Amino acid sequence: QVQLVESGGGLVQPGGSLRLSCTASTFTLDYYPIGWFRQAPGKEREGVSCISSSDGSTYYADSVKGRFTISRDNAKNTVYLQMNSLTPEDTAVYYCARGGGMWFGCSLRRSYDYWGQGTQVTVSS
């Protein structure tokens, strides 16, 4: 069974940092593109970042560019999302997802076939 698990969320003050982790126990993450999405209350789930399986190229939404960094640690079978300079607008449930057979682009949900359960990130003073 394919399973993705996110961790690292929590409560942080504006300007702070968090590092989210996405791990898999039943498949090798670096064989697939991996994306991070987020969903705030009352809003659509939006693509935040992704990393390719081939050359490690990355994508960032404009709203997080320069603040968030996606990376892989293949030895730990983990993909990270380092989030710096957080603002209240970053408050959301963050999900990681595995790229599926058909690729429509990093930011489109239909590019991904399996999703984690999500981890809550709250930015508040």
Side-chain angles (χ1 to χ4, degrees), residues 1 9 18 20 67 70 95 105 108 111-113 117 120 124:
Q1 183 179 355
L18 283 174
L20 305 184
R67 300 188 299 122
I70 191 170
Y95 301 88
L108 297 181
S111 291
Y112 302 88
D113 57 1
Q117 82 290 349
Q120 176 70 47
S124 175

Side-chain angles (χ1 to χ4, degrees), residues 6-50:
E6 303 95 338
S7 61
L11 173 64
V12 63
Q13 291 187 341
S17 298
L18 283 174
R19 188 178 75 164
L20 305 184
S21 300
C22 174
T23 61
S25 59
T26 58
F27 67 96
T28 302
L29 279 175
D30 67 347
Y31 292 171
Y32 300 88
I34 300 295
W36 283 98
F37 285 71
R38 67 185 181 186
Q39 188 165 19
K43 293 188 176 181
E44 297 271 329
R45 192 173 298 189
E46 63 170 345
V48 173
S49 180
C50 80

Side-chain angles (χ1 to χ4, degrees), residues 53-84:
S53 58
S54 53
D55 60 2
S57 58
T58 58
Y59 157 87
Y60 298 96
D62 287 343
S63 57
V64 307
K65 205 170 290 183
R67 300 188 299 122
F68 290 11
T69 303
I70 191 170
S71 62
R72 294 182 182 270
D73 184 335
N74 293 335
K76 295 183 178 179
N77 204 31
T78 300
V79 171
Y80 298 104
L81 186 68
Q82 177 68 43
M83 307 187 297
N84 299 329

